[in-house]
Amino acid sequence: MASIAFKQIYKSYGNISVIKGIDLEIKDGELVVFIGPSGCGKSTMLRLLAGLEEEDSGSMYIGDSLVNSIAPKDRNIAMIFQNYALYPHMTVAENIGFGLKLRGMNKKNRIRAVDETASLLGLEHLLTKQPRQLSGGQRQRVAMGRAIIRNPKVFLMDEPLSNLDAKLRNQMRIEIKKLQRRLKTTTIFVTHDQIEAMTLADRIVVLNDGKVQQVGAPSKLYSSPVNKFVAGFLGSPSINFIHARRTGDNELTLPDGQCVLLPVDQAQILSDLREVEIGIRPEQIDIVKSRQTTMEENTITWSSSVSLIESLGSEKLVYSYHGEHEVAVKTTNSNGAVEGSNIQLSFSMNNAHLFALNDGRCLSPLAGIAQKGSI
Amino acid sequence: MRDNTTTHGKKRLVKSFFNAEHIKAWLYLSPALLFLLLFTYYPMVQVLWDSFFHRPYGADKELFVGFDNYSRLLNDENFITAVKNNFIYAIGTVIPSIVIGFGFALCLTQSSRFKNCIRSLLFFPTLVPLVAAAALWMFIYFPGIGLLDYYLAKLGIQSTDWLGSPDNALYSLMMLTIWKNAGFYMLFFIAGLQGIGEEYYEAASLEGAGWWQKLRYVTLPLLGPTSAFVFVIALIHVFTHVDHVIVMTLGGPMGSTNLVLYYIYQNAHEFNDLAKATTATVLSVMVLLAISFFSIRTMERGIHYES
């Protein structure tokens, strides 16, 4: 077990720079999830730490030791690959014990260790099978077995669940989390699936374009994104963005001409910005019966026409158009909305995030605090 | 009752055999099948049949002689020598050319302009017709003034009669064969190596494998199917190529380079002992069939790839 530190990491392939100066510290025993769109550099970071790629500059520490120039096999890292990379010519037992065999452990101890690991993962009855005889979930477990048997300092998991079907994915996700809690091994988990990230992580690292966008606990990232990218990337359906012009010190005008007054603290942060985007989460919009007459001054009400309703069981996703804007609402009370009907949407600016139009940074006070907080 | 059901079952079998799908399948197959029957299976059966007949010199018709041809063949010293030579030739060419081809492939798997160049150079001998290669190597082997002796002389080594001495001739032919085939096998191994996923090596390096261990535990087992395939091709080469014997040594000196196929050729066209040639053909076809049967089994067992 060990902490991990990345310091000013840069990496490029030819002319294409993929990691542009990343600083990151991961605490001992933490489960950190790297998330970001394809090509954001999340897998590259993992491969750099594993030693499968070489960084252009910067330094990486595992525990107290600088690992830049240490060979992959001596970094004491175990990695789980997206397609598991199980050896098709070896049995499950041989696959799990491969690392121990390479490190010269004698056969008796090796068999004992394999048996222990197998029972931890419920693989006892599969030890003599070959990988091609196993189901996806079982292969996944064998790959985990190969990783944990050596008791490495760090686990690296590169989208390990993406080859599984949805149900199995949920189940394995829970197993990974339980296992990690039990073993307390520092883990980096790479995914592009935000549900995996939100549910697994102690802390999430959102990456985009080779840079860290934000680091923090899942709930914090969700409630206080530092910029438009993070706000848009986390949450399903995605946060709604609405363009707004500033027409007074604490007054914004929406494209439909509706004016809204900002709470005083939000207004201060705007300083001299003329244009902003309002971000509002789908679950923070209500569907109301009719245009409320006693409108609070920082509440926005829209009439819009419903284009699609998706039922999630207890909740409903209502997609509607307000002018050209598609607005997603997640609610338990759809107030009788049906596809094609007109409904009234209402939300309070107290729940909204404000983003600068020019650089996408978040202007809400909460996000401001997060930005200065421990990253 | 019971009879009834079996006839019923038979009828059904006949019906299903002649159902539309089957007929279509047979129709699709028929052109290839026709030619295979005409030019492969029919001659094989004919040769087998002929191997039981013999027309002694001067006789006016063929006589059925049972296994007489076989015992004549197995008592023919020249045949035994040819089999022995073929055996030495097989071991001495198949193994080295596969090992060398594999070594080349290991060095040249990753593509780069330089490596592509080297690959083409190494593959080049494959493109040269065997007859031309044999003629070329006759110059190399020419005693005293040939290319090989010329350079050996510079190292102070006396001239050697590479093709004219019974001790050297077969080995000289083997050198040529290895030179000619290693590059060909290299190509298969390169394809095989490129088919092994990079993540297998990455996983191995994280698990602690060095270069040798990766070769031993990852590359070699995963190349199993390729190796089996190359092995079969190499063995078939050994039995089916004799152009160089004809060009360079005519089986001599003193039968030291006589291979089975050349022996068959000699008996058929020079000694006019068709019965012996036929019988030797039957035996070598049986050996080839056995080899391909055995190796296809091994290949199938060697395939680990996911379905």
Side-chain angles (χ1 to χ4, degrees), chain B residues 138-160:
Chain B
M138 280 181 76
F139 289 110
I140 294 176
Y141 283 143
F142 210 88
I145 52 170
L147 207 61
L148 188 57
D149 271 358
Y150 176 78
Y151 283 105
L152 287 178
K154 296 208 163 181
L155 299 172
I157 296 168
Q158 274 193 337
S159 99
T160 314

Side-chain angles (χ1 to χ4, degrees), chain A residues 47 50 52 72-73 77-79 81 83 85-90 98-99 101-103 132 139 146-147 150, chain B residues 198-210 213-214 216-218 221-222 301 303-307:
Chain A
R47 296 170 61 81
L52 299 174
K73 69 188 176 87
I77 280 175
M79 184 155 168
F81 292 81
N83 57 4
L86 298 178
Y87 296 107
H89 55 285
M90 297 184 192
F98 187 49
K101 184 176 181 179
L102 292 175
R103 280 152 212 264
R132 75 190 133 95
R139 287 181 202 183
R146 187 169 70 186
R150 282 193 286 115
Chain B
E198 193 54 36
E199 70 279 2
Y200 288 127
Y201 293 107
E202 292 177 347
S205 28
L206 289 173
E207 292 301 311
Q213 285 167 316
K214 281 184 205 167
R216 162 89 180 69
Y217 295 115
V218 182
L222 290 177
R301 222 180 313 146
I303 294 171
H304 319 288
Y305 298 102
E306 292 168 31
S307 47

Side-chain angles (χ1 to χ4, degrees), chain A residues 46 59 87 110 201 221 235 331 361 375:
Chain A
L46 214 58
S59 40
Y87 296 107
R110 207 162 71 217
L221 259 60
T331 180
R361 72 179 190 279
I375 284 177

